[in-house]
Amino acid sequence: MRKITLLLFIICTTIGCKKNTTDQDPTAIKQAPFAIIIHGGAGTILKKNMTPALEKAYEEKLTEAVTAGHKVLKNGGSSTLAVATAIKIMENSPLFNAGKGSVFTHGGENEMDASIMEGKTLQAGAITGVKTVKNPILGAIEVMQNSAHVLLSGKGADEFSAERGLEIMDPSYFYTKKRFDALQRVQNSEKEDDNQSGKVSFYDTDIKNSKYGTVGCVALDQNGNITAGTSTGGMTNKRWNRIGDAPIIGAGTYANNETCGVSSTGWGEYFIRGVVAHDIAAQMEYKKVPLKEATRDVIQNKLTKAGGTGGIIALDKDGNMSFEFNTTGMYRASIDTSGALTVKIYK
Ligand code: ASP
């Protein structure tokens, strides 16, 4: 018996009887953490205003988008591809205010904005005021990858996207009854406000009657690269080629592998003035505070005090996540580093 044990010991030490690589070899390569987080807009989203069918439709679309993005990461794909994949699904759905479901301008058109930023290279791309690009997030990626610029606007951005071979639609593709009715409601209540007080604020009426619906995604891939992207139709009844925060790097979108990636949604003017997405990354970089603390301070303290409404999603280099908003709801979903899926709508 002792001989057999001795023999087994010799065999084991010579050829290596390991239970598994991670148990015994501290240098064995562990799979790097990867994770993804998405939003479909924040605003006055209350359960009492939602039908079970609509709630289910939102949950299913959020799940589809986050799962598709996660699959890209799981297969070793880049965070940029994961962001594009998730956002494209939401842009193609009429549920969200981006791509197909974009809100209408004062003149009854759809003008869309999108941006993307990579945390490894700090490269970024954005388009604003496009009217024909089926998936504006792809236009932003083209600007980042295949132009010498960061932000293209209007007709030029539509032309550039077409030249890059992106799918171009007739503007009528972006018509949805729900969004057109919302425009009528906002314009009618604007007239009422005008009659009562002589004051007109399309923001106030928009907030009373509607909600934000921008979409966004932040992903961390297996190479430790963070990408953030945002896509929107802007705000109902916007005028004069108004541009919100979504295509503004540092306001609506920001990513830096050293800190985090952020995508914003809400009342864009406040996010631009507060440089919200960059402020979160800057707090982490300069104050060395964790992601949660930085996002809470920027949204619950600074944005709220300034009078702004909305929220953000953020993901740091270790895969920590944060959803932070000061509205009654935000469509959101994530798959964390352990593979756990979360889908939520209300506070
Ligand atoms: N932030 C967007 C804008 O101001 C709106 C939104 O998030 O829905 O254009």
Side-chain angles (χ1 to χ4, degrees):
M1 184 67 188
R2 275 175 69 190
K3 264 192 198 153
I4 294 172
T5 313
L6 187 66
L7 191 66
L8 271 177
F9 176 77
I10 292 166
I11 292 170
C12 272
T13 45
T14 335
I15 65 163
C17 294
K18 293 176 186 166
K19 254 202 286 164
N20 65 46
T21 43
T22 44
D23 257 13
Q24 297 199 358
D25 181 359
T27 62
I29 299 163
K30 256 181 42 190
Q31 192 176 33
F34 58 96
I36 184 164
I37 184 165
I38 63 171
H39 71 77
T44 317
I45 308 167
L46 296 166
K47 202 169 174 73
K48 66 174 179 45
N49 298 336
M50 191 78 87
T51 62
L54 192 58
E55 191 176 276
K56 190 165 168 267
Y58 274 109
E59 284 170 355
E60 281 177 2
K61 201 42 86 176
L62 288 166
T63 304
E64 181 190 335
V66 80
T67 307
H70 186 260
K71 197 171 161 202
V72 170
L73 300 170
K74 198 172 165 188
N75 292 338
S78 73
S79 48
T80 301
L81 185 60
V83 167
T85 303
I87 289 188
K88 228 177 112 178
I89 290 171
M90 292 188 282
E91 283 178 340
N92 290 346
S93 161
L95 289 173
F96 306 99
N97 172 20
K100 172 68 186 154
S102 289
V103 298
F104 283 89
T105 65
H106 187 77
E109 293 183 296
N110 307 99
E111 292 176 354
M112 297 161 286
D113 310 324
S115 65
I116 188 111
M117 183 164 184
E118 287 182 344
K120 181 186 178 187
T121 55
L122 304 183
Q123 291 288 328
I127 55 173
T128 180
V130 294
K131 295 180 181 176
T132 60
V133 185
K134 185 179 182 196
N135 294 110
I137 192 65
L138 301 184
I141 293 174
E142 285 295 333
V143 173
M144 175 175 73
Q145 292 178 343
N146 295 303
S147 87
H149 310 295
V150 171
L151 178 58
L152 298 183
S153 73
K155 214 166 160 277
D158 276 304
E159 277 168 16
F160 171 78
S161 304
E163 272 177 33
R164 292 301 314 163
L166 296 185
E167 201 168 346
I168 297 301
M169 308 304 281
D170 185 86
S172 60
Y173 162 79
F174 300 99
Y175 173 89
T176 56
K177 188 178 179 313
K178 179 177 105 173
R179 299 297 187 198
F180 199 72
D181 289 350
L183 175 68
Q184 309 308 313
R185 276 201 311 276
V186 171
Q187 292 188 336
N188 288 337
S189 67
E190 200 176 75
K191 276 182 215 140
E192 274 167 36
D193 283 1
D194 201 14
N195 287 341
Q196 280 163 16
S197 67
K199 270 203 311 195
V200 178
S201 163
F202 81 88
Y203 303 115
D204 291 348
T205 52
D206 190 58
I207 281 159
K208 266 188 255 162
N209 291 288
S210 175
K211 57 183 181 289
Y212 312 117
T214 294
V215 304
C217 176
V218 188
L220 167 71
D221 67 28
Q222 294 189 41
N223 290 317
N225 292 326
I226 301 172
T227 299
T230 309
S231 178
T232 191
M235 289 174 90
T236 304
N237 203 28
K238 63 184 181 181
R239 249 179 134 168
W240 304 300
N241 301 117
R242 175 265 185 191
I243 297 167
D245 59 316
I248 307 297
I249 298 302
T253 299
Y254 193 74
N256 183 341
N257 277 6
E258 299 306 313
T259 50
C260 66
V262 181
S263 170
S264 312
T265 173
W267 192 340
E269 280 68 9
Y270 286 87
F271 283 74
I272 295 174
R273 286 190 287 255
V275 204
V276 164
H278 181 263
D279 193 14
I280 291 167
Q283 291 215 17
M284 291 180 73
E285 188 176 349
Y286 304 140
K287 280 170 68 184
K288 307 282 175 224
V289 296
L291 183 78
K292 261 254 165 312
E293 206 178 300
T295 57
R296 197 172 304 134
D297 180 53
V298 172
I299 299 302
Q300 306 301 351
N301 181 24
K302 294 167 97 170
L303 180 77
T304 306
K305 269 193 196 146
T309 46
I312 57 89
I313 51 166
L315 177 59
D316 76 9
K317 60 185 169 47
D318 301 315
N320 297 307
M321 295 176 164
S322 177
F323 301 103
E324 199 70 51
F325 51 98
N326 66 0
T327 51
T328 54
M330 178 162 85
Y331 299 106
R332 56 201 191 277
S334 64
I335 299 182
D336 68 14
T337 53
S338 74
L341 167 76
T342 303
V343 185
K344 284 185 177 167
I345 296 178
Y346 314 104
K347 218 168 187 126

